[in-house]
Amino acid sequence: MAAKTTKTEAKKATITKAPKPERGMSALDAAAKVLGEASEPMATKAMIEAMAAKKYWTSPGGKTPHATLYAAILREINVKGNESRFTKTDRGHFTLKDQTKKAAARKGKA
């Protein structure tokens, strides 16, 4: 005797998911890219402006994307610790961890 399929099983078998559209980079990835291209630490407002100008990332309509980015960078620093990509250099300013090491090495040679 053949097993009967229910209506829900038949629907599940015929429904195919559309492929997800390709997403751009996240705000944190875009911030890391902008800081990598910058020669000195940046504030989050300046990072947001640079990210939008270079078309790396744009805000989906939020009122304070710089505050969201600031919180996300601090969260990455706190959660990942030494594995974080970012370093806080001054009040409201961040740089990439690799750039901090390079700058310290340059000061040591001079």
Side-chain angles (χ1 to χ4, degrees), residues 88-108:
K88 187 172 182 179
T89 58
D90 196 15
R91 185 176 181 189
H93 288 77
F94 299 94
T95 189
L96 290 180
K97 190 168 280 189
D98 295 340
Q99 288 179 335
T100 306
K101 292 176 185 176
K102 289 176 186 175
R106 276 188 244 133
K107 286 181 181 179

Side-chain angles (χ1 to χ4, degrees), residues 32-42 54 94-96 99:
K33 191 168 184 177
V34 166
L35 286 173
E37 296 168 354
S39 60
E40 56 188 40
M42 294 177 73
K54 295 179 180 184
F94 299 94
T95 189
L96 290 180
Q99 288 179 335

Side-chain angles (χ1 to χ4, degrees), residues 22-87:
E22 191 172 317
R23 296 177 55 117
M25 64 175 67
S26 70
L28 278 176
D29 292 338
K33 191 168 184 177
V34 166
L35 286 173
E37 296 168 354
S39 60
E40 56 188 40
M42 294 177 73
T44 53
K45 275 191 179 184
M47 281 187 247
I48 293 289
E49 291 169 3
M51 288 161 34
K54 295 179 180 184
K55 296 186 180 5
Y56 295 152
W57 180 86
T58 55
S59 173
K63 293 182 180 180
T64 56
H66 61 279
T68 304
L69 180 62
Y70 185 89
I73 291 173
L74 284 180
R75 186 172 47 251
E76 181 173 315
I77 291 171
N78 288 332
V79 171
K80 292 187 177 180
N82 289 334
E83 299 299 316
S84 172
R85 298 174 280 184
F86 305 99
T87 300

